[in-house]
Amino acid sequence: MSNHQVTDALNEQLSCELGSWYSYLAMSAWCDRQQLTGCAGWLRAQAQEEYTHAMKIYDFLLARDVEVNLTQVDPPRQEFANIVEIFEWALKQEKENTQRIDTLFQLAMEQKAFASLVELQWFITEQVEEEQSARANLARIKMVASDPAAILDFDNMLGDRNLPMDTTAH
């Protein structure tokens, strides 16, 4: 891969995916401290997905014989007012990630980086799913936010998520 703009943007996206991983871990820890273990588990699984996304980019760069440029990941937000704010933050994060992926796809199109376009198509499809899931969780928690028993039911529902802790790229 000879296009430095696309390479730099992919390396930046790698760092952003690792930042999302770190952010979801922080949200998971907050939920765990609040005894919302279902939400904590769901968010931890989501963190694992973000890590897997980062490794997908990492592996792509290596396969293309491009230098992987790992940068420092900023500390994530760790305090939240309530469980609704957790899921608002998750949706905000996913929307920002979608914008970055779209911008990266546009750059790859402009630079005619065809292999990158194919790789990024997977991320575009994935972001549709990620935003849909984040919107659904936020809508559900907003519906029940004033009912502690319903929050516990929501927590139990999210606790049913079964995601393997596989760190290999898709």
Side-chain angles (χ1 to χ4, degrees):
M1 180 185 295
S2 61
N3 188 302
H4 294 292
Q5 287 179 301
V6 175
T7 299
D8 290 348
L10 285 166
N11 270 300
E12 184 179 327
Q13 185 61 34
L14 169 60
S15 293
C16 289
E17 297 289 349
L18 290 171
S20 292
W21 164 66
Y22 219 31
S23 180
Y24 275 116
L25 281 179
M27 288 184 265
S28 175
W30 185 92
C31 288
D32 200 49
R33 287 190 317 271
Q34 306 306 312
Q35 302 306 309
L36 294 169
T37 57
C39 291
W42 191 93
L43 290 160
R44 188 170 178 164
Q46 193 63 27
Q48 192 61 41
E49 274 196 27
E50 298 299 332
Y51 179 80
T52 301
H53 297 169
M55 292 301 96
K56 187 169 177 58
I57 295 170
Y58 175 88
D59 289 339
F60 176 74
L61 291 170
L62 290 176
R64 301 290 294 162
D65 195 28
V66 173
E67 182 177 347
V68 173
N69 181 19
L70 298 173
T71 59
Q72 184 172 356
V73 177
D74 292 332
R77 178 178 175 183
Q78 297 185 47
E79 293 301 322
F80 301 89
N82 53 50
I83 190 65
V84 171
E85 197 171 60
I86 288 280
F87 288 98
E88 287 173 340
W89 190 256
L91 178 58
K92 177 182 181 287
Q93 181 171 287
E94 292 302 340
K95 285 181 174 183
E96 289 171 355
N97 198 36
T98 297
Q99 288 179 324
R100 283 192 306 272
I101 294 291
D102 288 349
T103 300
L104 182 50
F105 191 86
Q106 179 67 36
L107 175 64
M109 279 181 37
E110 291 167 2
Q111 298 299 315
K112 298 181 181 179
F114 300 116
S116 296
L117 284 170
V118 171
E119 187 72 10
L120 290 167
Q121 180 61 52
W122 181 90
F123 284 91
I124 289 171
T125 302
E126 180 70 7
Q127 280 310 118
V128 170
E129 177 188 312
E130 297 288 354
E131 279 194 41
Q132 180 183 24
S133 177
R135 272 192 309 278
N137 283 337
L138 179 57
R140 288 178 186 129
I141 196 62
K142 280 183 171 182
M143 282 186 242
V144 302
S146 61
D147 182 350
I151 291 172
L152 292 176
D153 286 341
F154 175 78
D155 183 61
N156 285 331
M157 179 195 74
L158 287 190
D160 289 339
R161 180 179 186 178
N162 187 13
L163 188 83
M165 296 302 268
D166 181 8
T167 60
T168 59
H170 295 13

